[in-house]
Amino acid sequence: MSVADGLLWEQEAKGASPLTPTVDSNQKGQIAVLAVEARAAYRGIIVSRPTIEIRYDLVLDWSGRLYRAQVKYGAGKSAGTSGVTTVDLRKGDAKDKTYKISEIDLLFVYLPEINRVCCFGPEIFHDKQILYIRTEPPKKNAKNCLFADQFFW
């Protein structure tokens, strides 16, 4: 058994999945940003990061236009359902502050459960507090859910 196999076995013995290690919210945010940067590089899109704290995480130079992009790590679970990820779009302590069209152009959500990135335009995120993203087919009528496969990037 290799050292890596031993570490994975230790994580599993403690109840943690080796595919979803225990990380804090800052690390999750960085994982999400890296996933978006990787997808952008694959598409030949230039990515820049702001040098100061601001409402967006990245600037994408895409087809001759600059887009301000907010990135979220989508791992929230919706109570009583399976296959739905909730994404809280409220900012920090100001739980009434949502993202506006004037602040960001695109919202990216990394879904670690399926290792995919979704891209949403302002018609989806503007002034919304929470998004419900369905990653599995619904068992019955799915209300207020966005189907992830329609937004894969």
Side-chain angles (χ1 to χ4, degrees), residues 94-147:
K95 288 298 184 184
D96 59 337
K97 188 163 173 86
T98 58
Y99 293 99
K100 311 276 190 233
I101 293 171
S102 61
E103 298 173 314
I104 63 172
D105 303 304
L106 298 171
L107 171 69
F108 290 98
V109 178
Y110 173 61
L111 301 168
E113 196 171 284
I114 57 173
N115 195 27
R116 296 293 298 263
V117 173
C118 290
C119 179
F120 301 101
E123 70 283 0
I124 302 294
F125 66 76
H126 175 73
D127 221 15
K128 297 271 186 349
Q129 292 187 349
I130 296 176
L131 294 183
Y132 299 94
I133 304 171
R134 182 158 278 290
T135 57
E136 296 174 10
K139 295 181 177 121
K140 55 184 179 181
N141 190 14
K143 292 182 181 179
N144 302 320
C145 277
L146 303 165
F147 290 88

Side-chain angles (χ1 to χ4, degrees), residues 65-87:
R65 182 164 178 236
L66 299 177
Y67 294 89
R68 299 163 299 172
Q70 176 63 31
V71 181
K72 296 288 184 184
Y73 185 95
K77 298 297 175 200
S78 189
T81 62
S82 63
V84 176
T85 297
T86 60
V87 181

Side-chain angles (χ1 to χ4, degrees), residues 48-60:
S48 301
R49 290 190 186 202
T51 57
I52 60 170
E53 187 67 29
I54 196 153
R55 285 289 272 170
Y56 49 90
D57 296 314
L58 302 172
V59 176
L60 281 69

